[in-house]
Amino acid sequence: MFGDTLLIALYAAIGAAAAGVSGTAALRLLRNRSVALSLAVVAAVTVAAMLAGTLLVSWAMLLSDHDLWVVTMVCAMAAVASLTVALLLGRSVVTGSRALTEATRALGDDGSFTPPATAPTAELAELSSQLAAASAKLTASRERERALEASRRELVAWISHDLRTPLAGLQAMTEALEDGVVPEPGVYHARIRTEVERMSGMVGDLFELSRIQAGVLALTPTRLSVYDLVGDAIAGADALAREQGVRLVGEGVERLPVEVDGREMSRVLANLLVNAIRRTPADGTVAVSARRESDSVVLAVTDGCGGIPAEDLPRVFDTGWRGTDARTPPAGAGLGLAIVRGIVEAHRGRTAVHNVPGGCRFEVHLPAAAR
């Protein structure tokens, strides 16, 4: 009895193997064809394996012709049913694939992607979901690129304007000096020096911003106290504050440790203080504070500029942005606050600006160092 069972299993295995090898060869020949045809081949292989094994076993067991005909008819009906289901499934998959292909073509044209209403398989549904996510990222990237390009065009226009004026003045003064028509050459020399220093500052800002945007800003973090940073920044800006008639004070500056690049963070505070002093009217006050907030250290510079229009607040730290009243010297090229944001973000921090009564407050949030 065990021997007969083993013999039946052997004949069935031989028939199934023969059908499997034939099906594998057929699939290799049809590997670039429709999935519907591949599914039909798989169904045909399944039925052929069953039929071949059955016929071999029937021959070995010497079944009667009637019994063999019955078995063959059963296998034939199974083949019809299997091929029908395989073709229907294949057609559904092909239809879904074509719909996904059509939707994907739009992704390459304009970046938009509308996924098909239904997907015949979980794999196609997952692919459709991933394409939708990629489309959203691509759209956001293109919007950022457009905004950056617009910002660059504005920056080029403003830099050109700001350079044209001093260059024209320098040309006129040098020509006057050459012609010897200047009663006091020393005055012109001082003006030329001032204009050259201002243009050198603009070029330095452009170089710094290009390093930040290129991601090559090298930081050397050290453990510092914000109390010392603020004290040095106030001392550096005191002369400008006196010249503008502005009071410069430190309010609530706590002795908090931070891990920052001292040189770059000093530039951040200097840019914020210069911006605040120039926007604050005479007899006004610019206040600097530092406090701990959760796991961050918040440096704040509050000025008396009168406030920034609400629609302009999101653009304050954009490259080249300047308020409508800041298009003339000594406003600069509108790079100071963009440099501030770039340096702060390089320190894994963030910047913010809020209107307060009589002015606005610029904030720098930095990760607090462990005490």
Side-chain angles (χ1 to χ4, degrees), residues 28 33 60 89 99 150 158 174 202 219 224-225 227 247 256 271 334 369-370:
R28 289 182 61 84
R33 299 302 179 90
L89 176 59
W158 291 342
T174 53
M202 293 170 60
L219 299 177
L224 299 172
S225 169
Y227 185 87
R247 291 184 297 276
L256 301 169
N271 283 0

Side-chain angles (χ1 to χ4, degrees), residues 32-354:
N32 293 325
R33 299 302 179 90
S34 170
V35 67
L37 188 57
S38 298
L39 287 174
V41 171
V42 171
V45 168
T46 302
V47 175
M50 180 179 65
L51 180 60
T54 302
L55 290 177
L56 284 175
V57 170
S58 301
W59 173 78
M61 295 178 63
L62 301 176
L63 294 180
S64 64
D65 292 341
H66 177 269
D67 292 340
L68 186 60
W69 182 84
V70 170
V71 171
T72 303
M73 286 299 298
V74 171
C75 292
M77 292 301 102
V80 171
S82 299
L83 289 174
T84 301
V85 172
L87 290 174
L88 289 176
L89 176 59
R91 182 178 179 181
S92 175
V93 172
V94 169
T95 301
S97 298
R98 288 175 178 170
L100 190 57
T101 301
E102 291 297 325
T104 306
R105 285 199 183 112
L107 180 62
D109 295 336
D110 58 6
S112 62
F113 177 77
T114 303
T118 58
T121 65
E123 290 77 11
L124 288 179
E126 177 65 19
L127 177 59
S128 178
S129 175
Q130 293 297 325
L131 286 173
S135 174
K137 292 180 181 178
L138 182 59
T139 300
S141 177
R142 288 181 174 178
E143 300 224 349
R144 286 194 300 270
E145 183 179 354
R146 290 193 196 101
L148 181 59
E149 184 60 29
S151 176
R152 286 175 178 169
R153 285 196 298 268
E154 291 179 354
L155 176 61
V156 170
W158 291 342
I159 287 288
S160 300
H161 174 271
D162 286 348
L163 287 178
R164 186 183 297 114
T165 300
L167 285 174
L170 288 172
Q171 182 178 0
M173 286 186 286
T174 53
E175 290 174 353
L177 289 170
E178 287 176 353
D179 295 340
V181 298
V182 181
E184 297 182 13
V187 175
Y188 273 31
H189 288 152
R191 290 180 182 175
I192 290 174
R193 181 186 180 110
T194 299
E195 293 299 331
V196 170
E197 288 177 351
R198 192 165 72 85
M199 288 191 294
S200 296
M202 293 170 60
V203 173
D205 285 346
L206 282 172
F207 179 69
E208 182 76 3
L209 187 63
S210 67
R211 291 171 60 211
I212 292 171
Q213 293 183 341
V216 296
L217 180 65
L219 299 177
T220 308
T222 56
R223 188 180 181 88
L224 299 172
S225 169
V226 293
Y227 185 87
D228 296 332
L229 282 174
V230 172
D232 292 344
I234 290 177
D238 185 65
L240 178 62
R242 290 177 181 274
E243 179 184 338
Q244 300 289 328
V246 174
R247 291 184 297 276
L248 188 56
V249 299
E251 295 181 345
V253 181
E254 302 178 18
R255 297 179 180 273
L256 301 169
V258 288
E259 294 278 347
V260 297
D261 186 305
R263 178 175 173 274
E264 296 297 340
M265 197 52 58
S266 294
R267 179 164 192 160
V268 166
L269 290 174
N271 283 0
L272 290 177
L273 286 175
V274 169
N275 179 75
I277 292 170
R278 287 177 173 169
R279 299 297 181 272
T280 300
D283 295 330
T285 300
V286 171
V288 187
S289 65
R291 69 185 189 278
R292 187 178 182 105
E293 186 178 283
S294 185
D295 58 350
S296 299
V297 173
V298 182
L299 298 170
V301 176
T302 306
D303 60 35
C305 67
I308 299 174
E311 62 273 14
D312 287 341
L313 283 175
R315 296 196 58 202
V316 166
F317 292 99
D318 288 352
T319 302
W321 181 88
R322 292 180 296 186
T324 54
D325 61 344
R327 299 295 178 93
T328 57
L335 304 180
L337 294 179
I339 291 173
V340 166
R341 180 174 65 178
I343 294 175
V344 171
E345 290 180 350
H347 284 84
R348 295 176 292 109
R350 63 181 180 88
T351 55
V353 58
H354 311 283

